[in-house]
């Protein structure tokens, strides 16, 4: 599409009751990012209330019409996805604006390959709009959905805003206050005067947004500052697990807590598959936030969900029994997905999945969802199935890894919260089941049969360029890094994604082939992780020649002050970090500067300074080294476990002690969240 053009969704697909809109961009450094937002507008072009503004602190509509799904890594960067259930959009909403914003001094001109795509409920891509020259703006409207009679249309917009998220939201009637100074002044006044007395009960009011932007006081109240008073909470408080475990009443450690989903009695893979399917689907049906979280990206509408197991469906002479069925009802319409499950190292079978795709197409079902410990990669399908494009009804094939299921449960019960304590307990029981040694649902567990031959070939220098086994190892490495991101993100409650520096249009296969050649020549696997709030990209380097893992982060030098002050402050910040942490000074125009272990630098931080005082310091690199596991599996001595442990240790013992990125977004968001409480 071109800027200003529009198209009817019904003209592109018959399956547009639900839609997935994806906003994408890439960054030359791998670090650039933006946040998406959605505004629901009435016939006057304004929000009906502030609750019609959806962004990172208000990601889900109560009626299910809008859900921000978060970021997904792609071959050339990342994309932020939004699920729309267009059948659930209130009748008085005429337009839906889809936008994105950056923070502080960051501008969209610093990002490449800005685009928006829209897919129907079956995952079929319907349209694409590329913004070629965004300019130095901090917010952009990518496009909008709008009603015409009974149909929905999409318009490519591409309009930029210099005033960022707050300016964009204000233009559409959101009542915002984006002044950090006022927030800080008010916080200081409240702290000096002490806590206010509780306010009396009041009738329910519209729930204020908890974040940027904070509510602006009425005009008649702006003249004289008022003491902040406590307001009645009008929104249900979300329930999460307590940070510290509750003290057990057991007499000793041999007493085991009773569990809703027992797992120790499972003896065969078939039993594990049946139990895992039943446990997962039952919790999805009973915890709406969780069920919606897992199915919204697959085009499921927001509605009443029921789940079933071991359903017999006719297929030729022999009926087929998919492991499960998910049904969602919305406004009298049904959305149905068949579920095929595998546990442990069992691979999905192409003939099974093909049969379920054929059954779903004949019966008018919308999707087939596969579940296994494997991680799907773009351009590298887990199973090859044939899709008959001549059929009027098309079925979408989706994949979930058990690691992603555990991640979503973890995010809800430990960070975002669910509707009540019973739902939190159900998710906790599900998480306990998935993490049990006997469940078979542990995520990516095996580097594959090519791992040992490639490792040995690198060791004895017999691995040749073009060896297909090197490509297999590269794909397994990418799957492992995806899983590491899910686990770390679930623990932190923050976005963790693989950072890609590739340009738009880069073929995933060509990129992996290039990495395979690098593995053959240099004997190294490398990945970069973008952790929200970290001062830089977290780099993971596996050197198969030396059997060493290196985790590192580069932090830029402060813009002000003296180099000796920087060095002293860095060493003080790392007081709790491991003594074997390597610290290296990065200098302009040279490959490396002074370096040493933290143990040696603690008494003499000045050793980090170059001998020539005129040499400009650009930053510091912090690194931890660890022996690499040799086995292809996830046992204690395996490669997978060693990578997971190395990333976890580096983040929790080093990165957490570092300053967040320069004053930018983290401080601004924190101040506004305090003001909104």
């Amino acid at each position: 599409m071109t800027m200003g053009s529009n198209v009817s969704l019904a003209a592109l697909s018959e399956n547009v009751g639900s839609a997935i809109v994806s906003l994408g961009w890439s960054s030359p450094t791998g670090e650039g990012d933006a946040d998406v937002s959605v505004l629901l507008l009435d016939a006057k072009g304004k929000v009906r209330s502030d609750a019609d503004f959806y962004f990172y602190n208000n990601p889900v509509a109560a009626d299910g019409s809008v859900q921000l799904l978060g970021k997904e890594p792609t071959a050339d960067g990342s994309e932020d996805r939004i699920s729309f259930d267009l059948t659930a959009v209130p009748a008085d909403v005429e337009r839906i604006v889809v936008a994105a914003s950056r923070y502080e001094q960051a501008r969209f001109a610093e990002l490449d390959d800005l685009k928006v795509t829209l897919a129907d409920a079956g995952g079929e891509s319907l349209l694409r709009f590329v913004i070629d020259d965004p300019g130095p703006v901090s917010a952009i409207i990518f496009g909008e959905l709008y009603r015409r009679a009974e149909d929905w249309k999409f318009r490519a917009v591409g309009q930029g805003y210099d005033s960022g998220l707050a300016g964009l939201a204000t233009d559409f009637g959101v009542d915002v206050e984006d002044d950090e100074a006022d927030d800080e002044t008010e916080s200081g006044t409240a702290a000096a005067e002490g806590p206010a007395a509780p306010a009396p009960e009041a009738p329910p009011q519209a729930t204020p947004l908890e974040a940027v932007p904070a509510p602006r006081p009425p005009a008649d109240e702006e003249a004289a500052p008022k003491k902040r008073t406590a307001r009645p909470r009008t929104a249900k408080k979300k329930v999460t697990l307590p940070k510290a475990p509750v003290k057990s009443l057991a007499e000793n450690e041999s007493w085991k807590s009773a569990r809703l989903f027992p797992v120790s009695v499972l003896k065969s893979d078939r039993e594990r598959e049946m139990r895992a399917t039943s446990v997962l689907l039952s919790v999805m049906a009973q915890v709406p936030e969780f069920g919606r979280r897992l199915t919204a990206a697959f085009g499921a509408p927001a509605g009443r969900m029921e789940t079933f197991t071991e359903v017999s469906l006719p297929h030729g002479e022999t009926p087929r029994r998919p492991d499960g069925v998910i049904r969602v009802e919305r406004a009298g319409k049904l959305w149905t997905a068949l579920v095929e499950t595998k546990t442990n190292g069992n691979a999905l079978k192409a003939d099974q999945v093909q049969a379920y795709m054929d059954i779903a197409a004949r019966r008018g079902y919308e999707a087939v969802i596969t579940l296994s410990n494997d991680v799907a990669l773009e351009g590298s399908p887990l199973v090859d199935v044939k899709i008959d494009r001549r059929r009027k009804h098309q079925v979408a094939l989706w994949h979930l890894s058990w690691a992603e299921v555990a991640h979503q449960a973890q995010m809800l019960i430990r960070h975002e919260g669910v509707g009540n304590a019973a739902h939190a307990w159900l998710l906790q029981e599900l998480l306990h089941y998935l993490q049990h040694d006997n469940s078979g649902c542990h995520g990516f567990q095996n580097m594959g049969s090519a791992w040992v031959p490639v490792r040995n070939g690198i060791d004895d220098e017999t691995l040749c360029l073009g060896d297909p086994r090197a490509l297999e190892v590269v794909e397994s490495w990418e799957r492992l890094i995806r899983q590491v991101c899910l686990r770390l993100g679930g623990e932190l409650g923050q976005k963790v994604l693989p950072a890609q520096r590739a340009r738009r249009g880069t073929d995933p296969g060509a990129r992996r082939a290039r990495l395979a050649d690098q593995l053959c020549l240099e004997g190294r696997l490398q990945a970069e992780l973008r952790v929200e709030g970290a001062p830089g990209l977290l780099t993971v380097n596996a050197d198969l020649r030396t059997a060493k893992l290196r985790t590192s982060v580069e932090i830029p030098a402060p813009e002000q002050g003296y180099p000796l002050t920087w060095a002293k402050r860095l060493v003080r910040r790392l007081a709790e970090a491991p003594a074997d942490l390597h610290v290296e000074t990065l200098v302009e125009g040279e490959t490396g500067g002074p370096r040493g272990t933290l143990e040696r630098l603690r008494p003499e931080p000045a050793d980090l300074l170059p001998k020539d005082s005129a040499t400009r310091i650009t930053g510091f690199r912090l690194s931890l080294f660890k022996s690499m596991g040799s086995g292809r599996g996830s046992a204690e001595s395996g490669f997978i476990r060693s990578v997971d442990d190395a990333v976890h240790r580096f983040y929790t013992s080093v990165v957490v002690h570092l300053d967040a990125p320069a004053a930018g977004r983290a401080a601004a968001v924190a101040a506004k969240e305090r003001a909104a409480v």
Side-chain angles (χ1 to χ4, degrees), residues 30-70:
E31 296 184 79
D33 202 5
D35 277 329
V36 303
S37 53
V38 174
L39 298 105
L40 305 188
L41 309 180
D42 59 18
K44 298 178 181 179
K46 302 292 185 181
V47 296
R48 300 167 302 165
S49 73
D50 288 355
D52 282 341
F53 181 31
Y54 300 98
F55 59 120
Y56 49 83
N57 268 5
N58 182 37
V60 182
D63 59 10
S65 57
V66 179
Q67 179 165 344
L68 308 190
L69 300 173

Side-chain angles (χ1 to χ4, degrees), residues 19-38:
I20 301 292
V21 173
S22 301
L23 274 58
W25 42 76
S26 62
S27 168
T29 65
E31 296 184 79
D33 202 5
D35 277 329
V36 303
S37 53
V38 174

Side-chain angles (χ1 to χ4, degrees), residues 13 74 91 226 258 324 650:
S13 171
T74 63
K226 283 192 174 184
F650 185 71

Side-chain angles (χ1 to χ4, degrees), residues 43 74 338 374 400 552 554 589 599:
T74 63
L338 304 181
D374 216 337
L400 270 176
S552 61
E554 293 185 10
E599 183 178 32

Side-chain angles (χ1 to χ4, degrees), residues 193-217:
E193 295 174 348
E201 290 288 334
Q205 304 170 359
T207 307
L209 292 171
E210 290 187 0
V212 191
R216 174 183 293 158

Side-chain angles (χ1 to χ4, degrees), residues 586-592 615-616 618:
L586 305 177
V587 295
E588 191 174 50
E590 297 182 25
T591 56
T615 302
R616 180 172 174 266
T618 60

Side-chain angles (χ1 to χ4, degrees), residues 108 233 276 397 406 471-472 559 624:
F108 276 97
R233 182 180 291 275
L397 177 61
L471 183 59
E472 291 181 40
E559 296 180 358
L624 275 180

